[in-house]
Amino acid sequence: MTLIKSISGIRGTIGGRTGDTLNPLDIVKFTTAYATFMARKTGHSGKIVVGRDGRISGEMVKNVVCGTLMGCGCDVINIGYATTPTTELAVRMSGADGGIIITASHNPRQWNALKLLNGEGEFLTAADGAEVLDIAAREDFNYAEVDQLGQYTEDFSYDLRHIDSVLQLKLADLEAIEKRKFRVCVDTINSVGGIILPKFFEALGVSCEILNGACTGDFAHNPEPLEKNLHGIMDKMRQGGFDLGIVVDPDVDRLAFICEDGTMFGEEYTLVSVADYVLSNMSTPNNQSIPTTVSNLSSTRALRDVTEKHKGQYFASAVGEVNVTTKMKEVNAVIGGEGNGGVIYPESHYGRDALVGIVLFLSSLAQKGCTASELRKTFPDYQIAKNRIDLTPETDVDAILVKVKEMFAKDNSAKVNDIDGVKIDFPDRWVHLRKSNTEPIIRVYSEAPTMTMADELGKKLMQVVYDMQ
């Protein structure tokens, strides 16, 4: 498997040859490049937070990362098993200069990755990420002498500090949640969600049953929280006795809900429902600007519809969390995120956070006094088909995207957007092709009023790709 290097970090499968996989030598090289970049940016070696999800390879990668940072003169705060949002918040709470999250997010168990944070606990910008890659490629770095080696400390308090910060959000209606006496079933995929979420629900006064709660890294099923991977918890929900099913990915920044009857609420509708709750609790006097929301180009139109229903304005960004947060800051968005179940709520922090999504969703259900399935019916109903094309080393992705763009350039009914791959927007449907930053694939997402229509549109564009290979 080719090692994937991007502005968001380095990602690959464990084992194999140097330069082809995520192995100790490449981890050292990339960690050193990051430490060098941070030292040049801040003027000192600084303090770096390191957290990891439950992956089997996590202990090995953590040891290499921490040792390398110390060798670069950085002081290390190891926060142990931690969600991605917990690590992001720990950077801010500790006053650190940056952070490294050891997680491959939704990728299968053989993968791992390093995600890089700045001093705000946010992902590096595209320009900063490119500079780290350049430093690594040129090996433009030196290590610290013996008297300048960094110090190592451990602090495992950040789970509770993360939970406390979420409970303090203005729109977290703790009284309504406790009064509703929710009973939830939660699938934590045998990763760090199994550690933090039981504590979180106890603090909320919510009764929970955890599935796959042992933090072993031996994932119980494909870790991407899509319907095809969630039959276990869906079957459990159909047996009755629960108000809501909740699914997180291995690093707990993506969130999917399952209705009380065992049907999917829809991963795309996690952000839509939470945004609806936030917007419905906002007032916009004449002297204030209208509320704004942001999601990426591959996310459902339903967020746009809900935003406009509340007299707000919707904006789209390129795919990728840093692109979403950059756009959110630009337009001062009250909420944003991605259709993969990622909720970004600036009052908390500029990062996807499943705990924030959970408390706002439960607050909405509690205030409305409805079930999850009843809430889902209040939103516009779109269907998204999510397909993929596996790439070979010979695939010319740029040529494919140019060909697709040319196909629709003269179609007056279509709007072509090429800020991130190619998105073709029709009045009642859209299709988006883009090369993934996390896997050697082209993602083909398409949305329409029915799944059949969406899938047909996606397959039409996929055939263009196959014809060119």
Side-chain angles (χ1 to χ4, degrees):
M1 179 62 68
T2 302
L3 186 65
I4 299 174
K5 303 173 184 177
S6 72
I7 59 171
S8 60
I10 186 170
R11 181 180 301 236
T13 53
I14 299 297
R17 297 181 60 83
T18 303
D20 289 337
T21 60
L22 192 70
N23 58 78
L25 287 178
D26 284 310
I27 294 168
V28 168
K29 181 177 178 180
F30 197 75
T31 301
T32 304
Y34 169 71
T36 301
F37 165 78
M38 294 301 294
R40 292 173 182 174
K41 190 176 184 67
T42 63
H44 60 278
S45 295
K47 180 166 57 176
I48 306 296
V49 170
V50 177
R52 74 176 185 94
D53 70 12
R55 289 172 185 273
I56 295 169
S57 60
E59 183 72 9
M60 179 274 288
V61 177
K62 180 264 295 181
N63 289 337
V64 175
V65 167
C66 291
T68 301
L69 289 172
M70 293 168 67
C72 293
C74 299
D75 292 334
V76 175
I77 305 175
N78 171 27
I79 65 171
Y81 287 122
T83 74
T84 283
T86 302
T87 309
E88 292 169 344
L89 286 167
V91 171
R92 280 180 18 195
M93 292 174 175
S94 66
D97 298 281
I100 295 180
I101 310 168
I102 301 169
T103 176
S105 192
H106 64 276
N107 289 87
R109 65 200 291 274
Q110 67 270 28
W111 288 77
N112 215 328
L114 309 184
K115 295 183 178 181
L116 310 179
L117 304 176
N118 62 22
E120 296 299 316
E122 299 168 14
F123 290 119
L124 299 186
T125 64
D128 287 347
E131 189 172 341
V132 173
L133 290 177
D134 181 63
I135 293 171
R138 293 186 292 110
E139 298 189 7
D140 180 22
F141 37 68
N142 293 295
Y143 292 97
E145 297 181 2
V146 66
D147 292 326
Q148 281 74 49
L149 294 174
Q151 301 297 309
Y152 175 86
T153 59
E154 295 179 343
D155 187 344
F156 304 144
S157 67
Y158 286 98
D159 271 4
L160 293 179
R161 295 169 73 175
H162 181 186
I163 290 170
D164 287 343
S165 73
V166 174
L167 298 180
Q168 292 171 22
L169 295 174
K170 294 183 182 68
L171 292 183
D173 194 338
L174 307 184
E175 183 178 350
I177 291 173
E178 186 173 11
K179 185 177 180 180
R180 181 73 182 266
K181 299 188 183 303
F182 286 111
R183 178 166 168 74
V184 300
C185 184
V186 187
D187 185 349
T188 61
I189 197 67
N190 290 334
S191 190
V192 291
I195 297 174
I196 192 171
L197 288 180
K199 302 173 188 174
F200 183 49
F201 289 117
E202 182 180 5
L204 287 173
V206 171
S207 173
C208 71
E209 180 173 332
I210 303 292
L211 305 181
N212 307 315
C215 188
T216 63
D218 194 8
F219 302 145
H221 51 77
N222 185 305
E224 191 161 13
L226 303 177
E227 181 173 359
K228 63 183 180 180
N229 302 325
L230 303 178
H231 295 299
I233 187 171
M234 292 175 72
D235 289 344
K236 184 78 171 179
M237 292 296 296
R238 292 188 188 103
Q239 295 173 16
F242 297 100
D243 300 293
L244 185 67
I246 298 173
V247 182
V248 294
D249 65 340
D251 65 326
V252 198
D253 63 353
R254 289 175 61 171
L255 173 64
F257 296 118
I258 299 169
C259 298
E260 75 287 347
D261 58 1
T263 60
M264 289 293 295
F265 189 84
E267 188 186 28
E268 287 285 334
Y269 283 82
T270 297
L271 174 59
V272 174
S273 59
V274 173
D276 178 69
Y277 172 69
V278 170
L279 292 168
S280 67
N281 280 274
M282 293 187 64
S283 58
T284 53
N286 293 332
N287 62 343
Q288 292 185 5
S289 59
I290 62 174
T292 55
T293 64
V294 175
S295 65
N296 66 43
L297 288 170
S298 281
S299 300
T300 178
R301 282 181 176 174
L303 180 62
R304 178 202 64 184
D305 296 349
V306 165
T307 302
E308 291 176 353
K309 181 187 75 171
H310 290 289
K311 311 301 181 186
Q313 188 172 6
Y314 166 78
F315 295 89
S317 77
V319 174
E321 185 170 331
V322 67
N323 297 317
V324 175
T325 57
T326 298
K327 190 67 175 181
M328 288 178 67
K329 293 175 182 178
E330 177 188 325
V331 302
N332 195 29
V334 296
I335 192 167
E338 299 181 292
N340 61 13
V343 174
I344 303 172
Y345 189 46
E347 186 189 329
S348 176
H349 63 120
Y350 278 102
R352 296 180 303 184
D353 192 331
L355 274 68
V356 169
I358 288 168
V359 78
L360 295 178
F361 187 86
L362 290 178
S363 296
S364 179
L365 281 183
Q367 288 186 5
K368 292 179 172 67
C370 64
T371 65
S373 60
E374 289 169 343
L375 179 63
R376 177 63 179 80
K377 292 175 183 177
T378 66
F379 302 124
D381 193 20
Y382 297 110
Q383 300 295 323
I384 287 188
K386 298 184 177 183
N387 292 297
R388 57 183 277 172
I389 300 171
D390 293 323
L391 298 178
T392 67
E394 295 76 31
T395 305
D396 188 341
V397 177
D398 291 335
I400 289 170
L401 296 177
V402 168
K403 176 69 173 178
V404 171
K405 184 178 177 181
E406 290 175 349
M407 284 179 59
F408 294 94
K410 297 181 181 180
D411 187 341
N412 293 329
S413 67
K415 295 180 181 179
V416 179
N417 187 323
D418 61 358
I419 67 170
D420 184 11
V422 177
K423 182 175 183 179
I424 315 298
D425 223 327
F426 302 97
D428 64 341
R429 68 196 74 182
W430 58 259
V431 60
H432 186 201
L433 283 76
R434 58 177 292 275
K435 184 178 179 180
S436 172
N437 290 325
T438 59
E439 298 177 79
I441 63 174
I442 293 177
R443 296 193 185 278
V444 184
Y445 286 10
S446 48
E447 182 175 67
T450 69
M451 182 58 74
T452 299
M453 294 168 64
D455 199 47
E456 286 177 353
L457 180 59
K459 294 289 175 53
K460 177 182 177 182
L461 271 293
M462 290 170 69
Q463 191 58 51
V464 173
V465 178
Y466 293 139
D467 291 342
M468 294 184 65
Q469 289 184 313

